[in-house]
Amino acid sequence: MEKQVAIYRTPLKRLMRIRAVLRARVLDAFLVTSPENRRYLSGFTAEDAAINESSGALFITPAEAVVLTDGRYGAQAGLDCPGWRVFIYQKGLKEAVKRLTDGTKVKRVAYEPEYITCAGLDSLKKTCPQIDFVPLQGRIETMRAVKSPEELGFIKAAISAAEDVFEEISSSIRPGMTEKEIALRIVEGLSRRADGPSFPPIVASGPNGALPHAIPAERPIREGEPIIIDMGARLDGYSSDMTRTIFIGQPRPPFKEIYKMVRKAQIAAQDTIRAGMAANAVDKTARDIINAAGYGQMFNHSLGHGIGLAVHEAPVLSPRAKKTLKPGMVVTIEPGIYLPGQGGVRLENMVYVEERGRLVLSRDEWFYDF
């Protein structure tokens, strides 16, 4: 399978919506530092190596759209962001903001509180004392939650890449192979079929499967025990996420019954999704089934999450999530039951919310019909 080549067409309406927010909040500019939000608005594909090592930011005013970056990424920004002014700084983000605002009427600048360090914000405030920095949370994430047809195409390609790798890997698993060995094969396969994994893959066998975010270990696979494989591909900036629980040979008790319960909860939640439904109502559909079976305390995480440029993004499907699902959202449905010291079962599909229902994007494969 050849990798899809992304052609970014940053819709002008995204910038128009941001500028409408600026007008409504009486703000003069928006400093965007989230890598995913930066890419969503401008097409800038550079990634941040660490929380304290940024490849740049966006500075959006009512009249101008600027990509702020250093010399390493100047040429890339020029290629990625047609129509945007590229500002190359040498002394960091604070220098760029100071130079862009000195002598102007820019006095109130919004920033993303989740995506800037305390030290970074303090530095901005000291360098630009004339600026009132105003936290603005979740506006771009709300926009990103509803996918365009082009974005949905990228997501489908990422799903297909991960499923192809899972098909290769799962058929080759044998007793004695280690979790880490399988995880490395997954990473290698995703690097061939996509741009790599969307997150470090989880391979959790036997008692390790009772840890929802277990790290693959040198533990050898054994017959009859559940093996949770949670993996996803990243392709052209967009992510996929899938989980299957498999067995080598016949499942040991009580995992056949647990598997059936988790699958029942997953299907019920998938079938109930529709636009206009509260996110916590979807979670409740699956959770009620697991609670009724007596395993409620063993389902210890949210039912699902949005996915797109980030592997975890809005909306969240949890007991506390009251936001309404909208057409165009892409979410995961991943109920699980985990028995400490024994193992666990988790099953995950990706679902697209439609005006009158939903479309399951994941292939209806690699499930047991016990």
Side-chain angles (χ1 to χ4, degrees):
M1 172 181 169
E2 294 184 2
K3 294 181 181 179
Q4 181 178 351
V5 178
I7 302 174
Y8 287 98
R9 302 179 181 88
T10 305
L12 180 60
K13 65 181 181 181
R14 293 180 185 173
L15 276 179
M16 292 173 63
R17 289 179 66 181
I18 292 301
R19 286 169 171 152
V21 171
L22 295 181
R23 289 193 299 271
R25 300 291 184 95
V26 195
L27 296 164
D28 300 313
F30 194 177
L31 181 65
V32 179
T33 50
S34 156
E36 291 82 15
N37 290 345
R38 193 174 60 204
R39 182 167 185 160
Y40 180 75
L41 293 175
S42 71
F44 188 35
T45 59
E47 299 181 356
D48 292 357
I51 190 171
N52 61 347
E53 187 176 341
S54 171
S55 60
L58 306 181
F59 195 78
I60 302 167
T61 72
E64 197 171 23
V66 187
V67 180
L68 313 176
T69 190
D70 62 42
R72 297 172 298 170
Y73 303 103
Q76 183 176 344
L79 293 171
D80 287 345
C81 313
W84 287 67
R85 175 186 168 196
V86 179
F87 184 104
I88 305 298
Y89 53 72
Q90 296 180 333
K91 297 180 181 179
L93 184 61
K94 60 182 180 181
E95 172 215 14
V97 174
K98 179 175 175 58
R99 289 177 59 186
L100 286 172
T101 57
D102 273 353
T104 73
K105 295 181 180 180
V106 175
K107 300 300 179 186
R108 283 170 50 83
V109 175
Y111 70 94
E112 300 178 290
E114 316 98 308
Y115 301 108
I116 189 166
T117 65
C118 294
L121 182 59
D122 286 345
S123 180
L124 280 170
K125 289 180 176 180
K126 289 177 182 178
T127 305
C128 307
Q130 79 282 11
I131 299 295
D132 179 18
F133 289 96
V134 181
L136 185 58
Q137 187 171 355
R139 299 300 302 183
I140 304 172
E141 288 82 357
T142 298
M143 293 167 57
R144 281 172 42 204
V146 176
K147 273 60 181 181
S148 68
E150 184 182 29
E151 290 180 291
L152 181 60
F154 291 143
I155 290 170
K156 286 181 175 179
I159 291 172
S160 180
E163 289 176 336
D164 287 346
V165 172
F166 180 84
E167 187 170 37
E168 291 176 358
I169 298 301
S170 61
S171 62
S172 67
I173 294 176
R174 299 289 183 270
M177 294 176 66
T178 67
E179 296 172 349
K180 186 175 288 187
E181 180 183 354
I182 296 167
L184 289 173
R185 291 190 182 189
I186 291 171
V187 171
E188 191 276 333
L190 292 171
S191 297
R192 282 188 289 106
R193 292 186 175 269
D195 297 329
S198 53
F199 57 92
I202 296 170
V203 180
S205 63
N208 290 346
L211 308 174
H213 280 189
I215 297 173
E218 295 289 357
R219 185 182 188 278
I221 301 297
R222 297 168 185 166
E223 287 194 24
E225 63 185 12
I227 308 163
I228 295 176
I229 299 179
D230 190 348
M231 56 179 282
R234 193 161 187 261
L235 186 58
D236 297 324
Y238 285 83
S239 299
S240 67
D241 194 358
M242 67 176 290
T243 306
R244 298 291 186 267
T245 300
I246 63 175
F247 301 89
I248 306 300
Q250 288 297 311
R252 297 174 185 170
F255 287 104
K256 182 181 288 188
E257 293 305 315
I258 287 176
Y259 185 100
K260 290 162 65 175
M261 196 59 55
V262 172
R263 179 63 170 152
K264 180 180 178 182
Q266 182 191 42
I267 292 172
Q270 287 176 181
D271 288 347
T272 197
I273 287 181
R274 65 183 184 280
M277 187 175 189
N280 59 2
V282 184
D283 180 280
K284 187 175 186 299
T285 299
R287 203 168 296 276
D288 282 352
I289 291 171
I290 293 175
N291 282 337
Y295 291 104
Q297 296 299 314
M298 308 304 177
F299 178 18
N300 51 20
H301 54 74
S302 300
L303 176 66
H305 54 84
I307 185 168
L309 285 169
V311 74
H312 289 113
E313 59 182 49
V316 175
L317 306 182
S318 78
R320 300 178 303 279
K322 298 179 181 179
K323 290 191 175 181
T324 300
L325 298 181
K326 297 179 180 179
M329 289 181 167
V330 177
V331 298
T332 66
I333 301 294
E334 47 181 308
I337 295 175
Y338 309 93
L339 304 184
Q342 298 182 62
V345 173
R346 181 167 66 253
L347 302 172
E348 177 183 23
N349 279 340
M350 289 176 58
V351 178
Y352 177 69
V353 181
E354 297 181 311
E355 190 72 49
R356 298 183 180 274
R358 87 294 181 269
L359 174 66
V360 178
L361 300 175
S362 306
R363 284 158 61 177
D364 189 28
E365 296 186 26
W366 311 294
F367 294 112
Y368 295 96
D369 185 18
F370 291 129

